[in-house]
């Protein structure tokens, strides 16, 4: 889906907020006036904390004109956005970038692999797949987190499990954790999919993306059917400033979602 | 589905798989049972049919730290294959376990008897070890941590 993004930030109001983990919160935004064009799962917005600056945030929920973002505080801007309370106003530009291309995967098994906050951009894809029963093959959602308390959307993961195969794993268990321990690739053995007709969607830190995609290729999933979401620092979001360059790609325009065929050679080059 | 295709047994040629299974007995254990302890004699091993097992390391003064969990199709235990045949980790049943259990000296004798079978078993176990080593290394990157702790988002 190609829509013309709004390059001017439009005012949006925080209408709901939830703390997910110690450093991550989910905020729901609604337009104060004019709404942005519709977002597709995988696309991102440039969200402006007034007086601080703007950062790219993927949509983790799309409901009419309402946009939901999960934001992890790593610096000044993301910290300011995470701290916003209902009633606060932000500026939003978008939609930017490529989407997951879920409709093109009709008929194939779906394999969603998320690490850490990488689950956020995958959430609307999972919801879209769940909302279209029969359109896709088997849906597997594999989620890895550092610790149980860092797992995003735990209640939703349980709910999705009714219609999908949802497996979660943590690197370090605490006393109460009864689930799996190990990196997210260790869950691939327990996913249920036919590699030759599977489309995979992978988002997380780059080493995790690489480990997952390489493992999937070994299992027989076509590199072209492995879609990964890549991140680089972004500035303009419109393909003009060059901040988000990865080799020949400008990730704000040609990404963040690209096929493994395109991503692999670029990720293996040092100091691109 | 990939469960069968990636399981330890599925990686063996049919004749070797049949030979190995000929040495198995079916066992079940309820949750909570300790199957083996670090440094204990590695005289048995299992292939998980269903349920799950946690592998742990003893940390003095603390509860054992779980480092990995194993489930359906996975090989539980490889220390029996290499001297000094002592467990590197401890193992505790997490959820009711059904498994094929093998007597390690018998399997080692069968491997020695039939080098092709022995090579297949060793190769299969080495693949498992390589996969677990890779997973451990990946985990050392503190994968999902915040960027300033060494990992990207
Ligand atoms: C397409 C895209 C989608 C994104 N979606 C989300 C999302 O849904 N939720 C979310 O919380 N974050 C998301 N991010 C990351 C988010 O944009 C950054 O965390 C944010 O830009 C950091 O800005 P800051 O000013 O708060 O921190 P800074 O002060 O700029 O940085 C603080 C620390 O974070 C590191 N850092 C900054 N940006 C990144 C990055 N992109 N990747 C890894 N490390 C980084 C810096 O190196 C530094 O160590 C996305 C990024 C991109 C490119
Ligand atoms: S962010 Fe400016 S070119 Fe991509």
């Amino acid at each position: 889906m190609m829509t013309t993004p709004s390059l001017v930030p439009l005012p949006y109001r925080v209408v709901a907020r939830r703390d997910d983990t110690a450093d991550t919160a989910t905020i729901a935004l609604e337009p104060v006036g004019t709404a942005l064009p519709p977002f597709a799962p995988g696309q991102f917005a440039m969200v402006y904390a007034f007086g601080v600056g703007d950062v790219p945030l993927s949509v983790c929920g799309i409901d009419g004109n309402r946009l939901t973002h999960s934001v992890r505080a790593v610096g000044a801007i993301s910290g300011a956005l995470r701290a916003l309370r209902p009633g606060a106003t932000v500026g939003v530009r978008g939609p930017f970038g490529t989407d997951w291309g879920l409709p093109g995967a009709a008929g194939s098994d779906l394999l969603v692999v998320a690490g850490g906050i990488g689950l956020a951009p995958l959430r609307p894809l999972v919801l879209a797949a769940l909302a279209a029963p029969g359109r896709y093959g088997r849906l597997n959602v594999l989620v890895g987190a550092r610790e149980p308390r860092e797992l995003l959307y735990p209640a939703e993961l349980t709910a999705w499990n009714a219609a999908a195969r949802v497996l979660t794993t943590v690197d370090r268990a605490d006393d109460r954790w009864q689930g799996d321990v190990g990196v997210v690739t260790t869950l691939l053995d327990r996913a249920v999919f036919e590699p030759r007709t599977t489309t995979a969607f992978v988002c997380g830190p780059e080493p995790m993306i690489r480990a997952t995609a390489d493992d999937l290729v070994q299992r027989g999933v076509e590199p072209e059917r492995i879609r990964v979401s890549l991140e680089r620092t972004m500035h303009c979001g419109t393909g003009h400033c060059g901040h988000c360059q990865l080799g020949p790609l400008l990730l704000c325009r040609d990404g963040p979602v690209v096929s493994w065929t395109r991503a692999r050679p670029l990720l293996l080059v040092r100091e691109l | 589905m990939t469960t069968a295709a990636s399981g330890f047994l599925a990686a063996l040629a049919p004749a070797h798989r049949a030979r190995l299974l000929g040495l198995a007995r079916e066992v079940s254990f309820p949750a909570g049972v300790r199957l083996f302890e670090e440094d204990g004699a590695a005289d048995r091993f299992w292939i998980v049919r269903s349920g799950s097992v946690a592998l742990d390391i003893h940390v003095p003064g603390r509860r054992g730290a779980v480092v990995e969990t194993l489930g359906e199709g996975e090989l539980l235990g490889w220390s029996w294959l290499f001297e000094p045949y002592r467990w590197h980790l401890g193992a505790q049943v997490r959820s009711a376990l059904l498994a094929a259990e093998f007597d390690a000296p018998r399997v080692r004798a069968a491997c020695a008897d039939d080098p092709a079978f022995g090579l297949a078993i060793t190769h299969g176990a080495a693949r498992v070890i390589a996969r677990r080593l890779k997973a451990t290394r990946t985990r050392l990157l503190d994968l999902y941590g915040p960027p300033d702790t060494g990992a990207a988002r």
Side-chain angles (χ1 to χ4, degrees):
Chain A
M1 182 174 63
M2 282 306 285
T3 45
T4 312
S6 167
L7 304 181
V8 181
L10 298 181
Y12 270 63
R13 185 166 292 128
V14 180
V15 292
R17 177 188 190 281
R18 178 190 70 216
D19 275 313
D20 294 305
T21 69
D23 61 5
T24 304
T26 296
I27 51 173
L29 305 175
E30 282 184 3
V32 174
T34 313
L36 293 170
F39 282 68
Q43 287 190 301
F44 68 93
M46 295 297 293
V47 184
Y48 183 45
F50 287 119
V52 192
D54 64 355
V55 290
L57 291 180
S58 306
V59 280
C60 76
I62 311 156
D63 182 7
N65 284 335
R66 176 185 279 219
L67 297 177
T68 310
H69 299 284
S70 289
V71 52
R72 179 156 84 179
V74 297
I77 305 172
S78 51
L81 291 170
R82 189 201 70 109
L84 288 176
R85 301 287 146 180
T89 308
V90 293
V92 189
R93 291 185 285 142
F96 293 121
T98 50
D99 62 76
W100 290 112
L102 176 65
S108 71
D109 285 343
L110 305 180
L111 184 61
V112 171
V113 190
I117 196 159
L119 182 57
L122 286 163
R123 179 177 175 271
L125 176 140
V126 172
L127 294 178
L130 289 174
R135 190 162 214 275
Y136 306 98
R138 291 162 291 199
L139 171 61
N140 298 267
V141 183
L142 315 186
V143 180
R146 245 188 344 168
E147 295 177 33
R149 64 198 169 103
E150 291 187 4
L151 205 57
L152 282 185
Y153 324 135
E156 280 191 71
L157 294 178
T158 310
W160 296 347
N161 204 30
R165 189 166 174 85
V166 181
L167 303 170
T168 53
T169 185
V170 298
D171 275 9
R172 282 197 295 279
D174 58 20
D175 285 356
R176 277 169 303 161
W177 179 252
Q178 282 304 309
D180 284 303
V181 180
V183 285
V184 75
T185 46
T186 60
L187 297 177
L188 287 171
D189 278 345
R190 275 169 260 166
V192 180
F193 61 99
E194 171 49 55
R196 280 163 304 154
T197 56
T198 288
T199 310
F201 306 91
V202 188
C203 187
E206 252 167 54
M208 169 265 175
I209 290 179
R210 266 168 36 199
T212 306
D214 281 341
D215 196 320
L216 289 176
V217 171
Q218 253 176 33
R219 286 167 198 262
V221 181
E222 278 284 321
E224 197 54 36
R225 295 175 79 136
I226 302 174
R227 301 186 189 151
V228 305
S229 182
L230 299 178
E231 270 188 23
R232 288 295 177 272
T233 315
M234 288 185 189
H235 223 64
C236 66
T238 58
H240 286 102
C241 72
H243 266 79
C244 64
Q245 189 186 352
L246 176 66
L249 307 180
L250 290 176
L251 280 181
C252 69
R253 184 192 64 195
D254 309 319
V257 180
V258 293
S259 77
W260 188 234
T261 318
R262 277 189 110 182
R264 187 169 199 275
L266 299 175
L267 294 190
L268 290 181
V269 178
R270 280 171 203 279
E271 310 301 339
L272 248 175
Chain B
M1 78 181 242
T2 65
T3 311
S6 56
F8 180 77
L9 285 174
L12 297 176
H16 292 146
R17 192 185 313 151
R19 173 147 197 195
L20 182 64
L21 284 175
L23 300 170
R25 57 184 171 268
E26 296 299 315
V27 292
S28 61
F29 299 98
V33 167
R34 286 212 57 89
L35 290 173
F36 51 82
E37 298 291 347
E38 228 173 307
D39 204 42
D43 55 0
R44 288 179 298 167
F45 69 96
W46 300 263
I47 294 171
V48 178
R49 298 250 190 251
S50 63
S52 68
V53 177
L55 299 177
D56 51 32
I57 294 187
H58 176 68
V59 185
R62 298 217 329 240
R63 277 190 64 204
V66 175
V67 292
E68 191 166 8
T69 47
L70 303 179
E72 195 181 316
E74 294 192 84
L75 173 67
L76 169 57
W78 50 262
S79 309
W80 58 276
L81 194 51
F82 306 101
E83 282 163 345
Y85 311 130
R86 307 204 80 82
W87 297 117
H88 292 256
L89 300 166
Q92 178 152 357
V93 177
R94 274 241 156 142
S95 60
L97 187 73
L98 272 180
E101 183 177 88
F102 301 86
D103 177 68
R106 261 184 93 193
V107 177
R108 285 199 300 261
C111 289
D113 247 22
D114 176 352
F117 175 68
L119 183 64
I121 297 293
T122 311
H123 191 250
R127 274 186 58 203
V128 170
I129 298 168
R131 272 240 294 282
R132 291 186 192 160
L133 176 63
K134 194 170 166 193
T136 305
R137 286 179 170 162
T138 310
R139 199 157 63 150
L140 282 175
L141 295 170
D142 192 12
L143 264 192
Y144 318 115
D148 52 6
T149 61
R153 191 183 87 99

